Amino acid sequence: DTEVTQTPKHLVMGMTNKKSLKCEQHMGHRAMYWYKQKAKKPPELMFVYSYEKLSINESVPSRFSPECPNSSLLNLHLHALQPEDSALYLCASSHWTGGSYEQYFGPGTRLTVT
Amino acid sequence: AQTVTQSQPEMSVQEAETVTLSCTYDTSENNYYLFWYKQPPSRQMILVIRQEAYKQQNATENRFSVNFQKAAKSFSLKISDSQLGDTAMYFCAFTQNYGGSQGNLIFGKGTKLSVKP
């Protein structure tokens, strides 16, 4: 099973709302990633978790708060977002960090901030 | 800093024909990996093929093959016998392979490929 699942598929939220995006994998991977992708652009790395510990935060605003409750789950908590945060949010996982392990992507959550 | 350049924003090909997508990259490292990812309109990013920099032999996966020119820092993707399902955005990506690399993927801007019947 090489599947990464993400919920919800679509999310519309106001700037004062709090919501969470969820990502799950059951491949035994120990590295998980959050990316942000704007239309017709490549994904931009936001966070990297390795062994449930945050190892990279690419200077992402604090209104995005990642959480890795266990090795299979990755959450992204959203609060007080701006309209420019509207994008496709992709989760990915790999056996381990390091280039020799390819990343498997989920289908993404399409987020619209109104 | 590493960069990945895809110089063809859009391409089209007739069904059953062959098409080549270009990618160049810049790095001072000697040990790295290169990937081609495909993102169809349904949006899920799928790994197409990968190449280890230390391997001289070009990677192949069924109808997909690469032309890896390490000295020229070039990594093109050839799709043979194009199918309608190959219609997608194709991203070239680079990552280093050392202990602290964290697997960061550096993506090119993408090439939108349309396969026409």
Side-chain angles (χ1 to χ4, degrees):
Chain A
D1 182 9
T2 57
E3 188 177 9
V4 177
T5 59
Q6 290 187 244
T7 55
K9 291 185 178 180
H10 301 274
L11 179 62
V12 179
M13 60 185 290
M15 290 189 284
T16 59
N17 292 156
K18 287 185 181 181
K19 297 286 184 182
S20 297
L21 309 184
K22 296 186 185 300
C23 173
E24 190 167 5
Q25 57 86 13
H26 294 288
M27 295 179 277
H29 290 174
R30 302 313 297 267
M32 297 185 78
Y33 310 78
W34 278 116
Y35 290 87
K36 173 183 178 181
Q37 187 179 25
K38 300 287 264 184
K40 299 183 181 180
K41 299 288 186 183
E44 299 173 3
L45 183 66
M46 301 175 72
F47 303 104
V48 179
Y49 272 84
S50 59
Y51 280 85
E52 296 92 68
K53 288 185 169 47
L54 183 65
S55 58
I56 286 187
N57 176 343
E58 290 286 351
S59 302
V60 177
S62 59
R63 57 185 184 267
F64 295 91
S65 175
E67 178 197 19
C68 191
N70 60 56
S71 60
S72 300
L73 293 173
L74 185 66
N75 298 321
L76 186 62
H77 304 297
L78 314 172
H79 173 56
L81 294 192
Q82 303 297 310
E84 60 265 28
D85 296 322
S86 297
L88 181 67
Y89 287 83
L90 295 167
C91 173
S93 71
S94 63
H95 280 287
W96 180 229
T97 56
S100 56
Y101 299 107
E102 54 261 37
Q103 294 183 24
Y104 294 87
F105 285 82
T109 293
R110 174 75 63 191
L111 174 68
T112 303
V113 181
T114 60
Chain B
Q2 290 84 11
T3 59
V4 177
T5 301
Q6 293 179 249
S7 58
Q8 304 150 316
E10 293 192 37
M11 294 188 72
S12 64
V13 63
Q14 292 296 130
E15 198 174 6
E17 297 292 308
T18 295
V19 64
T20 299
L21 309 183
S22 301
C23 173
T24 57
Y25 58 94
D26 188 24
T27 182
S28 57
E29 300 294 329
N30 195 48
N31 190 13
Y32 51 87
Y33 288 77
L34 295 160
F35 304 89
W36 279 98
Y37 280 89
K38 166 186 176 181
Q39 190 174 35
S42 64
R43 80 191 178 207
Q44 182 145 13
M45 191 87 73
I46 302 166
L47 177 67
V48 175
I49 200 166
R50 78 171 197 176
Q51 175 79 42
E52 294 89 341
Y54 63 85
K55 288 188 178 179
Q56 291 187 332
Q57 186 173 4
N58 289 326
T60 63
E61 285 288 341
N62 301 313
R63 298 182 295 108
F64 299 88
S65 61
V66 298
N67 183 3
F68 173 49
Q69 301 289 329
K70 191 172 183 179
K73 296 180 182 175
S74 171
F75 182 60
S76 61
L77 175 70
K78 185 171 82 170
I79 306 174
S80 303
D81 185 25
S82 296
Q83 300 175 1
L84 296 178
D86 295 332
T87 293
M89 183 72 87
Y90 286 81
F91 292 101
C92 178
F94 165 99
T95 190
Q96 294 174 218
N97 186 38
Y98 61 91
S101 76
Q102 303 297 330
N104 294 16
L105 280 173
I106 299 168
F107 288 93
K109 291 187 175 181
T111 296
K112 184 178 179 181
L113 177 67
S114 299
V115 180
K116 300 183 184 305

